[in-house]
Amino acid sequence: MPHVITQSCCNDGSCVYACPVNCIHPTPDEPGFAASEMLYIDPVACVDCGACVSACPVGAIVPDNRLEARQLPFVEINASFYPKRPAGEKLPPTSKLAPVIPAAEVRARRRPLTVAIVGSGPAAMYAADELLTQPGVRVNVFEKLPTPYGLVRAGVAPDHQSTKQVTKLFDRVAGHRHFRFYLNVEVGEHLSHADLSAHHHAVLYAVGAPEDRRLDIDGMGLAGTGTATQVVAWINGHPDFAGLAVDLSHERVVIIGNGNVALDVARVLTADPDDLARTDVSDRALDAFRRSAVREVVIAARRGPAHSAFTLPELIGLTGCSEVVLDAGNHELVARDLVTASDSLTRTKLEILSKLGDGSAPPPAAGRPRIRLAYQLTPERVLGEHRATGVEFSVTGTRELRRLDAGLVLTSIGYRGKMIRDLPFDESAGAVPNEDGRVVDPGSGRPMPGTYVAGWIKRGPTGFIGTNKSCSFQTVQALVADFNAGELAAPVARPEALEELVRARRPDVVGSAGWRAIDSAEVARGRRDGRPRNKFTEVADMLAAASTAPPPRRQKLLDRLLDRG
Ligand code: NAP
């Protein structure tokens, strides 16, 4: 009875290291890891010990006799990753690398390695986790919002609560006695790179890719147009987007691009609001869903089915919970691609697509709205004078034009990194130039001393939450190697001076205790309605909740007690 990894796999890789028989692949040090859509358990080598179940931060591993019907396709998907072999064949052990600060180094330096991390999403928290495995290291995390965890809080769809469970791991990291949160503090606004450098050996930017890639066609910008990532932030109650005007009074929404973000938005827009009411969806979005007139969400891709950007686990998840049909004539495209598809992942995607219903008839007037997947449609312009009334596409590679009426047109064509003050930026990649996480000055081709990047701002907006673990690990290895080589200048300021500086520049700074107070208040608000939490969507409300935390003196005392313990 082997264990099986299911659709909510986050590629974190913790299970790989927990497994005593090395039966989970690809491992972070294997070449296929970065491009893999999920991890796979080898059913022949699995000894059914369950060690991976407790290591998985998102509860994605299940013994095969406990799978729900919708998870059954994953038995075959896990197995098909491995070549057929005799039962019980042994595999070589997985290496467990860890950056090590030699004890002599620690004793020789009066100031322990102290690192500022900018941003508090998965890449930041995995970097902090890795750094804090080293003796004596101090980590200070700076975040512009009063709440941490970046896209896990504001980007993961609310109906994917198991994925959000990774915050429990992050809470544990944040509870380390050498970890400090400086929330509600914007680097570039309240503190500069030079300020951080003066107080730390190294500054590690893990700020993600906060902007959307924009589609440059006529009509984008009209009322009724927007981006899927803005809508995701609105659904999740991000304070900058909580008041977004999302008009759901029309029958059709068109989403341009077919990556996982497009699937997330389509799934939520067509979900039963009563199901969403049991999640941490924002109240305002939930209210809009209850009043929605949407009957169909069309996801339009410019290429053919074999080039779908969504991943197989997410397609299985979508077809298991939503009514999904294929655009008229698209079954022929799928059949054509099935003849030429060479890799098994694409074949499985195409087989699932081939079994979808035909979407030529209009959607039914009652019941749940449906999702229509459409291919070979290149967006040409948004129709409408004062507001969007539809989209005109060309059939890709031809001059044939096709119009789709819609009251809401969303682009979902990827995220983009934003320039960080005082750091170089590669406009074409939308990321900071770096080598293994060391920021590189393109002028001299040399690393900028003590400056590092991790996550999407380092490698571009690709991969899953857990992909950031190996990405951050690589950066931390480089950082620790530089520290051990004596290349990082010690902070010039006294340790207590940082706290004073931050409080002077940003009296409303929220620390770990403040975040715990916000967290408890949100969970308590949610509990009343059977929800995991009911988020504050206004910064003022977050700050009011944070202010109920124990005063800093009591907190300091608690910290000192912890330090002794
Ligand atoms: P994405 O996967 O990069 O997909 C972008 C889509 O936009 C593609 O279909 C692409 O088509 C299309 N596109 C790009 N430029 C276009 C243009 N000018 N006109 C029309 N279409 C265009 O982006 P994403 O959905 O934002 O996802 C970002 C990352 O987050 C991905 O790695 C994704 O897997 C991850 N993510 C994961 C989850 C999850 O695991 N549940 C959820 C959300 C996001 P072409 O292929 O033709 O360029």
Side-chain angles (χ1 to χ4, degrees):
M1 182 185 46
H3 283 62
V4 177
I5 300 189
T6 66
Q7 70 197 46
S8 47
C9 173
C10 69
N11 286 41
D12 160 299
S14 300
C15 56
V16 169
Y17 296 113
C19 174
V21 294
N22 187 23
C23 76
I24 307 177
H25 295 266
T27 66
D29 45 4
E30 285 172 350
F33 180 78
S36 186
E37 292 193 351
M38 58 182 281
L39 304 182
Y40 308 87
I41 293 182
D42 179 349
V44 176
C46 175
V47 291
D48 197 26
C49 67
C52 53
V53 176
S54 28
C56 173
V58 297
I61 306 180
V62 185
D64 72 352
N65 64 344
R66 301 240 185 95
L67 290 165
E68 294 171 22
R70 65 184 173 85
Q71 295 171 320
L72 288 175
F74 287 93
V75 174
E76 181 51 31
I77 289 170
N78 277 248
S80 64
F81 183 75
Y82 298 93
K84 299 260 173 285
R85 293 183 329 278
E89 189 182 85
K90 293 267 184 301
L91 294 163
T94 305
S95 64
K96 297 187 188 196
L97 302 170
V100 168
I101 300 177
E105 288 286 330
V106 178
R107 279 196 300 275
R109 289 164 212 265
R110 288 182 40 225
R111 286 288 290 276
L113 172 61
T114 306
V115 181
I117 298 181
V118 185
S120 65
M125 296 310 293
Y126 281 126
D129 192 20
E130 203 60 59
L131 282 162
L132 291 167
T133 61
Q134 302 298 309
V137 173
R138 263 65 173 169
V139 173
N140 296 319
V141 167
F142 299 82
E143 160 65 52
K144 71 176 181 178
L145 287 177
T147 53
Y149 308 152
L151 280 186
V152 178
R153 182 177 164 101
V156 172
D159 58 339
H160 277 180
Q161 285 300 312
S162 62
T163 307
K164 294 193 185 224
Q165 280 180 30
V166 73
T167 57
K168 288 186 187 149
L169 168 77
F170 298 161
D171 280 337
R172 248 194 345 261
V173 175
H176 192 285
R177 68 184 199 274
H178 291 155
F179 178 104
R180 290 279 176 284
F181 264 140
Y182 292 92
L183 305 170
N184 202 31
V185 177
E186 187 167 356
V187 173
E189 172 76 23
H190 306 111
L191 294 175
S192 66
H193 179 71
D195 291 329
L196 293 182
S197 297
H199 290 83
H200 302 86
H201 290 89
V203 186
L204 192 166
Y205 289 87
V207 292
E211 302 204 323
D212 304 289
R213 288 189 57 219
R214 297 287 161 138
L215 186 64
D216 192 16
I217 57 171
D218 279 352
M220 278 310 294
L222 281 174
T225 63
T227 70
T229 52
Q230 290 170 334
V231 171
V232 170
W234 169 73
I235 290 168
N236 269 309
H238 186 297
D240 294 349
F241 298 93
L244 198 72
V246 179
D247 185 353
L248 302 177
S249 62
H250 304 262
E251 285 201 356
R252 186 179 295 126
V253 177
V254 169
I255 305 179
I256 296 169
N258 73 351
N260 283 340
V261 171
L263 261 54
D264 278 348
V265 171
R267 209 182 51 248
V268 173
L269 289 181
T270 56
D272 182 341
D274 287 340
D275 290 339
L276 289 174
R278 289 191 285 275
T279 72
D280 63 345
V281 65
S282 106
D283 280 344
R284 209 176 292 184
L286 183 61
D287 186 45
F289 297 147
R290 290 203 187 282
R291 290 181 290 106
S292 168
V294 172
R295 299 301 315 144
E296 181 177 65
V297 177
V298 177
I299 300 179
R302 59 182 171 177
R303 295 198 281 165
H307 294 105
S308 298
F310 51 71
T311 56
L312 176 61
E314 291 307 308
L315 177 63
I316 294 175
L318 184 79
T319 53
C321 71
S322 313
E323 165 70 12
V324 189
V325 294
L326 265 190
D327 198 22
N330 280 192
H331 278 97
E332 284 161 35
L333 299 178
V334 173
R336 183 200 66 190
D337 284 358
L338 261 169
V339 175
T340 49
S342 49
D343 68 291
S344 71
L345 208 65
T346 308
R347 281 199 72 79
T348 314
K349 271 188 205 173
L350 291 169
E351 275 155 15
I352 294 172
L353 293 177
S354 72
K355 290 179 192 132
L356 296 177
D358 182 90
S360 8
R368 288 258 304 277
R370 74 178 185 185
I371 296 169
R372 175 155 48 121
L373 300 178
Y375 289 95
Q376 299 283 111
L377 294 180
T378 299
E380 298 293 344
R381 64 188 174 115
V382 175
L383 303 166
E385 267 186 45
H386 304 294
R387 70 170 332 282
T389 57
V391 191
E392 185 169 83
F393 294 95
S394 59
V395 176
T396 306
T398 73
R399 289 194 174 170
E400 188 188 335
L401 293 178
R402 211 173 132 201
R403 288 181 168 198
L404 275 177
D405 293 340
L408 182 62
V409 178
L410 301 173
T411 56
S412 184
I413 62 170
Y415 291 82
R416 203 185 137 72
K418 192 174 153 192
M419 190 167 195
I420 299 169
R421 191 178 292 172
D422 301 322
L423 259 62
F425 192 66
D426 178 345
E427 277 294 338
S428 61
V432 170
N434 72 92
E435 272 171 22
D436 297 344
R438 292 181 179 97
V439 174
V440 171
D441 173 4
S444 66
R446 296 188 53 75
M448 265 180 81
T451 312
Y452 302 85
V453 280
W456 279 2
I457 195 64
K458 168 185 170 186
R459 62 175 205 277
T462 58
F464 314 93
I465 290 171
T467 316
N468 294 298
K469 183 164 165 155
S470 44
C471 177
S472 297
F473 173 69
Q474 184 193 48
T475 299
V476 169
Q477 264 192 321
L479 190 159
V480 170
D482 292 349
F483 178 73
N484 287 344
E487 284 170 13
L488 301 185
V492 289
R494 322 169 265 121
E496 317 77 63
L498 176 66
E499 193 75 26
E500 292 160 18
L501 175 75
V502 176
R503 291 211 171 271
R505 300 260 183 91
R506 189 60 165 159
D508 278 344
V509 56
V510 173
S512 299
W515 159 237
R516 283 195 293 273
I518 297 173
D519 185 38
S520 308
E522 288 187 339
V523 170
R525 276 156 50 103
R527 199 174 295 130
R528 292 197 284 269
D529 305 323
R531 305 171 62 179
R533 74 174 59 234
N534 186 344
K535 287 182 202 151
F536 296 114
T537 59
E538 304 285 336
V539 166
D541 294 335
M542 296 174 186
L543 296 182
S547 69
T548 63
R553 261 195 70 219
R554 221 180 105 206
Q555 190 59 45
K556 256 191 201 152
L557 228 115
L558 284 172
D559 286 349
R560 227 177 286 147
L561 279 173
L562 269 174
D563 258 337
R564 263 186 235 145

